[in-house]
Amino acid sequence: MAKEETPSTSKDFEELQRKLSLLIESIQNNSKMVAFLKSPMGQYLDRHPFVALTLLVFIAVSAVPVGFFLLLVVLTSLAAFVGVILLEGLVIFVGGLSLLCVLCGLGFVSLAISGTIIVSYVVVSSLVNYWFSPRPLTPNPSGDCQLATKPTASVGRCQE
């Protein structure tokens, strides 16, 4: 069985080597990579492979913590946003409920005040009409005309 695995493993390695060489060639022929390699930083890294490898490893290793940090920032911002929306919703709900209670109370108070004003108006109007209404003059058995409801009123003459 060991002899059967060796040829397939070597074929897999050859296939992998061919794919890697194509990948490296495509990267080296990329116009942005050519421009970077012509820059002073690219020339420095080309002359110092250990620094280039260290920088590459640092970037690769730091990608995970930076990714977690950015994820934490996004989730925290999202949680704060949702929390603000929930808090704002709660404040609006409580404020609306308070406003509804105040308006209902004001409605009852205005209804009571209106009722009191209307009853007062009717009573005062009735009293004013009673006190200051023109009263018919009724003839007195003595022949003099006087007001029917006010026996102590001054005696007046009947008009014909």
Side-chain angles (χ1 to χ4, degrees):
M1 288 179 105
K3 292 183 180 180
E4 291 178 8
E5 291 179 7
T6 306
S8 67
T9 308
S10 64
K11 286 181 183 180
D12 289 341
F13 281 131
E14 288 175 9
E15 182 69 25
L16 183 62
Q17 185 179 9
R18 186 179 64 80
K19 287 182 180 180
L20 282 175
S21 65
L22 286 174
L23 179 66
I24 290 171
E25 187 178 322
S26 69
I27 290 174
Q28 288 176 347
N29 292 335
N30 190 349
S31 61
K32 292 182 181 181
M33 185 57 86
V34 170
F36 176 73
L37 288 175
K38 288 183 180 178
S39 71
M41 182 72 164
Q43 290 176 356
Y44 178 80
L45 290 176
D46 193 31
R47 281 179 275 161
H48 298 90
F50 180 74
V51 175
L53 182 63
T54 303
L55 186 63
L56 181 67
V57 168
F58 175 75
I59 289 171
V61 171
S62 65
V64 173
V66 169
F68 279 138
F69 175 74
L70 292 177
L71 182 68
L72 178 71
V73 167
V74 168
L75 291 178
T76 305
S77 299
L78 185 63
F81 183 68
V82 169
V84 166
I85 288 176
L86 290 176
L87 183 64
E88 184 177 349
L90 178 68
V91 167
I92 289 173
F93 175 73
V94 169
L97 197 60
S98 300
L99 179 64
L100 180 67
C101 291
V102 167
L103 290 178
C104 287
L106 287 175
F108 288 130
V109 167
S110 65
L111 189 65
I113 290 173
S114 297
T116 304
I117 289 173
I118 288 176
V119 167
S120 300
Y121 174 75
V122 168
V123 167
V124 168
S125 175
S126 296
L127 287 176
V128 166
N129 284 338
Y130 178 73
W131 285 333
F132 298 109
S133 67
R135 294 190 177 86
L137 297 174
T138 58
N140 204 3
S142 65
D144 291 334
C145 292
Q146 64 183 17
L147 294 175
T149 57
K150 292 185 178 180
T152 60
S154 63
V155 176
R157 302 227 177 230
C158 295
Q159 296 177 357
E160 298 183 43

